[in-house]
Amino acid sequence: MTEHRDQQLRQLISLLQDGEFHSGQKLADELSVSRAYIWKLMQQLEELGLEFESVTRKGYRLLKPLQLLNPEQLLQSMINNGMSDWQCEVLLLTDSTNQQLKGSGFCHKKLLAAEYQSAGRGRRGRQWVSPLASNLYWSVGWQTQMPVQQLGGLSLIVGLAIIKALNKLGIKGVQLKWPNDIRYQGRKLGGILIELSGDMAGALQVVIGVGLNMQMGTSVAKSIEQEWMNLHELAPEVSRQQVLAEMIIELNQALETFEQKGFESFQADWKAVDECFGQKVSILQHNQELKGIGAGVDATGALLLQTGKGIVPIYAGEVSLRFRS
């Protein structure tokens, strides 16, 4: 898709974002294009996951009002909170924010968000459903001298930063399922994907990716295989802009503390929001299943599983809270 087309789509979304009807002719005049071309752009928005209705003599109307992310306001929020050394970029369309930040695009302390991802990824390479201007998809580049062995708790502290940000916005009761799921009463709100590259014995380039459901329509989420929910079910008045700004501010503080003190200083915070604690847990590793009771995490961020043979540390695996006895 050309940069010019991206600009036209962004302009069209801005005109429609109030959720009111706009005639095809008026939209065509605003963009200096034909009504037929407006129809093509609307079809493209539909393909990208934006839901709207078209009514004869009334025009087009989004089914729910929306607001595009504002990079200038995000950057100002970061500067106001002592993050003047950070960079911020918001793309309309991309394959994956993590992918964009990896390799030659990597930059330490850079926030990259997108309104739409064509190839967003969740855990174990699963597709992350990413409709246009509906949720939050963002990645942060972070370079660290910490040895790779000490980064086991990184996805956990990212989750804790997100919960702290939500608490500041008045959203309570969100929990974390080890190692990277953000959930509310058993339904998934979001996920974290961390990728490492560089010298494992020296400076590591870390890409922290986060997807958070905000106001996703059910029609575009049919492919999701687990129970999920939108943050707007808990706080309909909170905007994507507010949530993203608070998450980045809290993440910056958490990363600084993590570098100075390691994961051990976050253990008590984790216990307070640990969805697995005291619950029957099933771990799938290399096609083998291990069952037990969640017993918290250790100082490295490993999941502790109480089994018939004692407490076993889990460093990787697919975690389920539903299994038959």
Side-chain angles (χ1 to χ4, degrees), residues 44 47 73 83 86 117-118 121 137-138 164 186 190 223 255 293 305 313:
Q44 188 136 36
E47 290 169 9
Q73 289 180 8
M83 298 169 63
W86 279 68
Q117 294 182 125
S118 61
R121 288 173 298 130
Y137 326 110
W138 56 272
K164 195 170 180 181
S223 62
L255 289 174
I293 303 295
L305 194 66

Side-chain angles (χ1 to χ4, degrees), residues 276-282 291-294 305 320-325:
C276 295
F277 189 79
Q279 302 296 314
K280 290 182 178 181
V281 176
S282 170
K291 295 180 180 181
I293 303 295
L305 194 66
S320 173
L321 290 169
R322 298 186 299 273
F323 68 87
R324 292 185 295 275
S325 299

